[in-house]
Amino acid sequence: MTEAGRRIDVEIAPSGYQAFVYVDPWAIPGALGRPITLQEIQAALKAQNVTFGIDEDVINSIINEQKWKQKIQVAQGHVPVKGRDCEIEYYFNTDSKPRPKELNDGCVDYKDIGLVNLVEKDDVIARRIPAEPGKAGITVR
């Protein structure tokens, strides 16, 4: 944005979740002009439709500390958070491969091939881990 001897550029990150400001108050030769104000930077952001996550403390520090000709992040959106599906945690071996049980004397017991897991009454055999919903993201626009 060019205005009366000053220049305020607003850049939006390709993701849309960050906005940066570049201030050059002497962009137009011979025009020192008056100091850059908070309202001017806010107007430049508004002109680019940046309305969310604006950090006015950062903008004030740009003005007060005269951070000219630097690309500085002034707005941050919220990145979306992916949810998690429900899961089942088993308390027994689910990857068993049926094999005959080898006895101490070297013989093989073909009746016990490990195909069935034995449980007692009231034994906990699995636990359901609930799903977690995701969160929508918000861009700076």
Side-chain angles (χ1 to χ4, degrees):
M1 172 174 143
T2 303
E3 178 194 324
R6 66 192 72 240
R7 182 165 171 82
I8 302 171
D9 288 328
V10 176
E11 180 183 330
I12 309 298
S15 65
Y17 295 108
Q18 297 169 319
F20 302 90
V21 167
Y22 180 89
V23 178
D24 185 358
W26 302 282
I28 298 175
L32 291 177
R34 57 183 165 60
I36 300 283
T37 65
L38 172 67
Q39 291 75 21
E40 289 172 311
I41 294 176
Q42 288 174 332
L45 291 168
K46 186 175 183 180
Q48 294 294 320
N49 298 320
V50 176
T51 58
F52 182 80
I54 298 172
D55 189 342
E56 289 188 7
D57 292 336
V58 172
I59 295 173
N60 284 323
S61 76
I62 291 170
I63 296 165
N64 296 334
E65 299 171 23
Q66 297 184 356
K67 296 180 180 177
W68 312 139
K69 299 184 179 185
Q70 300 176 43
K71 180 178 159 182
I72 299 173
Q73 181 178 333
V74 295
Q76 175 70 47
H78 293 293
V79 178
V81 177
K82 186 176 180 181
R84 189 175 54 107
D85 291 338
C86 178
E87 296 178 18
I88 304 294
E89 179 181 4
Y90 296 100
Y91 294 122
F92 59 90
N93 185 9
T94 60
D95 294 328
S96 64
K97 294 183 171 109
R99 296 188 60 171
K101 182 177 180 183
E102 188 173 332
L103 303 174
N104 291 338
D105 62 0
C107 295
V108 178
D109 181 0
Y110 285 101
K111 292 180 186 175
D112 185 6
I113 59 172
L115 190 59
V116 177
N117 291 301
L118 299 176
V119 294
E120 299 291 326
K121 180 181 176 188
D122 296 326
D123 280 354
V124 177
I125 59 172
R127 174 175 77 104
R128 181 178 153 279
I129 302 169
E132 292 180 3
K135 294 182 182 174
I138 302 173
T139 65
V140 295
R141 291 184 167 172

